[in-house]
Amino acid sequence: MSWVALILAGCFEVVGVMGITQVNQKPSLRSYLVLVGGFALSFILLSFAMKEIAMGTAYAVWTGIGTVGSALVGMLVYGEPRDKLRITCIALVIVSVAGLKLIA
């Protein structure tokens, strides 16, 4: 259950980052709620996951999911560049996070 909470925490981190983008593009109550709600849920789930998963592993996986998710949302939703080097680096982060899961 801790790993599910950790994965969800990473996903809600992406929601929080999307909220930051929305606040920068068009500040509104909704965009602030997305920002605060996304990060609040992310931290709550991360805290829950860290009861059973080592801090270093949990934090690395959480930030990895947030990094990859935010980069993919940036490319797919906000029109950020999709060059091969960027995609290769994203793939390396995914492999690293999967490796941490395998050894934890």
Side-chain angles (χ1 to χ4, degrees):
M1 189 65 182
S2 293
W3 281 98
V4 172
L6 184 57
I7 291 167
L8 288 173
C11 293
F12 279 110
E13 183 184 8
V14 176
V15 171
V17 171
M18 290 174 68
I20 293 172
T21 302
Q22 290 175 6
V23 166
N24 286 329
Q25 291 177 345
K26 184 179 177 188
S28 67
L29 177 60
R30 181 187 177 282
S31 62
Y32 281 103
L33 288 174
V34 171
L35 186 154
V36 173
F39 284 126
L41 286 170
S42 180
F43 282 115
I44 289 167
L45 289 165
L46 175 62
S47 176
F48 175 79
M50 287 177 62
K51 290 179 181 178
E52 294 183 17
I53 301 171
M55 178 198 62
T57 301
Y59 185 73
V61 170
W62 178 67
T63 57
I65 292 169
T67 300
V68 169
S70 297
L72 291 175
V73 167
M75 289 187 292
L76 298 172
V77 177
Y78 298 109
E80 293 179 3
R82 300 178 187 185
D83 56 87
K84 289 179 185 177
L85 185 56
R86 186 172 188 181
I87 292 170
T88 300
C89 291
I90 290 169
L92 288 171
V93 172
I94 293 169
V95 168
S96 298
V97 168
L100 284 173
K101 166 62 175 121
L102 291 173
I103 63 169

